[in-house]
């Protein structure tokens, strides 16, 4: 099956630092990747849709200057949380949609837990 | 009204029981529906897609009711390993952008 990896799996950082999270599709190419955030006991909230070679599409209420997304290749998308604050602490999950399958088919990465002190 | 609504539960059932979850959605133009399973502190994994004609995979049956705008998931002969949160996912009408429900927690006990 399709595999999506995320790195790092855990991050603990001081307030004000920037954190970069990588999402890779390991055995397929993905023109579209999604970034989600999940707070405890809450649903996954879509933050943005990342398209290879173009700017990401952000959901309403998500600051594009705060959450920088780069989708530089068909197998890699990165999310950078700039000047992280404690309220940014969350579980960040990416998913990728294989090029040869309908775009609604998504494979999820294992997630990255971010804790901002 | 939320776009996708689920009863958070928890549903606490004994092994072997049959349990059903519903999920309602607000956008009548939605075309694609899914059930995902999420274990504690893990990523969601696709359980099954939901088709107009309904579909069955072993002990799991999913149904779609467009008139009432809800989907359902039925689990027969519950196993301890079925304990998880079940997420309903509905794609926005005319697109593949997914909207997740909050999830329904299932606890299967011996």
């Amino acid at each position: 099956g399709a595999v999506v990896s995320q790195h790092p799996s855990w991050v603990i950082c001081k307030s004000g630092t920037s954190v970069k999270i990588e999402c890779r599709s390991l055995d397929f190419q993905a023109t579209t990747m999604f970034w989600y955030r999940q707070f405890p006991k809450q649903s996954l909230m879509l933050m943005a849709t990342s398209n290879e070679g173009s700017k990401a599409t952000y959901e309403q209420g998500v600051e594009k200057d705060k959450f920088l997304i780069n989708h530089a290749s068909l197998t890699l998308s990165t999310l950078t949380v700039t000047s992280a604050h404690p309220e940014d602490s969350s579980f960040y999950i990416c998913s990728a949609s294989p090029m040869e399958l309908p775009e609604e088919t998504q494979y999820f990465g294992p997630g990255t837990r971010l804790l901002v002190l | 009204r939320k776009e996708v609504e689920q009863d958070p539960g928890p549903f606490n059932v004994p092994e072997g029981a049959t349990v059903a979850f519903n999920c309602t959605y607000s956008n009548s133009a939605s075309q694609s529906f899914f059930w995902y399973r999420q274990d504690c502190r893990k990523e969601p994994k696709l359980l099954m897609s939901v088709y107009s004609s309904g579909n069955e995979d072993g002990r799991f049956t999913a149904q779609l009711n467009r008139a009432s705008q809800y989907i359902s998931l039925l689990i027969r002969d519950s196993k301890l390993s079925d304990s998880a949160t079940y997420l309903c996912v509905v794609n926005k009408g005319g697109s593949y952008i997914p909207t997740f429900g909050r999830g329904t927690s299932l606890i299967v006990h011996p």
Side-chain angles (χ1 to χ4, degrees), chain B residues 8-109:
Chain B
F11 285 63
N12 208 317
V13 303
E15 269 187 290
T18 295
V19 62
F21 312 133
N22 279 347
C23 165
T24 59
Y25 61 94
S26 60
N27 189 335
S28 59
S30 297
Q31 295 294 325
S32 303
F33 310 88
F34 308 89
W35 283 104
Y36 279 77
R37 170 193 170 129
Q38 185 175 27
D39 291 289
C40 188
R41 304 173 78 83
K42 299 283 188 181
E43 77 276 19
K45 293 190 188 299
L46 179 65
L47 185 63
M48 56 200 312
S49 303
V50 188
Y51 305 120
S52 296
S53 55
N55 53 314
E56 187 173 317
D57 183 4
R59 298 182 293 109
F60 298 84
T61 301
Q63 299 264 333
L64 167 64
N65 185 316
R66 285 192 185 276
S68 300
Q69 293 183 207
Y70 74 85
I71 64 172
S72 63
L73 177 68
L74 180 79
I75 305 176
R76 289 180 297 278
D77 189 24
S78 300
K79 311 290 184 192
L80 295 177
S81 57
D82 293 334
S83 298
T85 297
Y86 290 84
L87 304 170
C88 167
V89 180
V90 177
N91 282 11
K92 290 182 182 178
S95 81
Y96 54 86
I97 305 299
T99 301
F100 280 76
R102 186 180 164 189
T104 297
S105 175
L106 171 66
I107 301 170
V108 181
H109 59 81

Side-chain angles (χ1 to χ4, degrees), chain A residues 12-108:
Chain A
I12 301 175
C13 68
K14 292 181 180 178
S15 186
T17 58
S18 292
V19 176
K20 184 188 228 180
I21 302 170
E22 292 186 350
C23 176
R24 292 182 187 271
S25 55
L26 297 186
D27 51 1
F28 64 95
Q29 292 184 322
T31 50
T32 304
M33 290 185 174
F34 299 91
W35 285 98
Y36 299 84
R37 181 167 53 180
Q38 186 177 33
F39 293 106
K41 299 188 186 297
Q42 300 293 320
S43 66
L44 272 74
M45 297 299 296
L46 181 64
M47 299 174 69
T49 304
S50 169
N51 295 296
E52 187 267 338
S54 64
K55 289 184 179 179
T57 302
Y58 290 82
E59 293 299 299
Q60 193 172 14
V62 178
E63 299 174 58
K64 61 180 181 175
D65 296 328
K66 168 81 174 174
F67 299 99
L68 301 178
I69 291 173
N70 185 299
H71 194 153
S73 77
L74 289 172
T75 59
L76 173 65
S77 175
T78 60
L79 168 69
T80 301
V81 183
T82 61
S83 187
H85 290 284
E87 58 266 28
D88 296 324
S89 299
S90 187
F91 187 41
Y92 291 86
I93 308 177
C94 74
S95 70
S97 180
M99 284 176 66
E100 65 274 18
L101 294 179
E103 285 169 319
E104 59 199 21
T105 303
Q106 297 183 52
Y107 296 95
F108 284 84

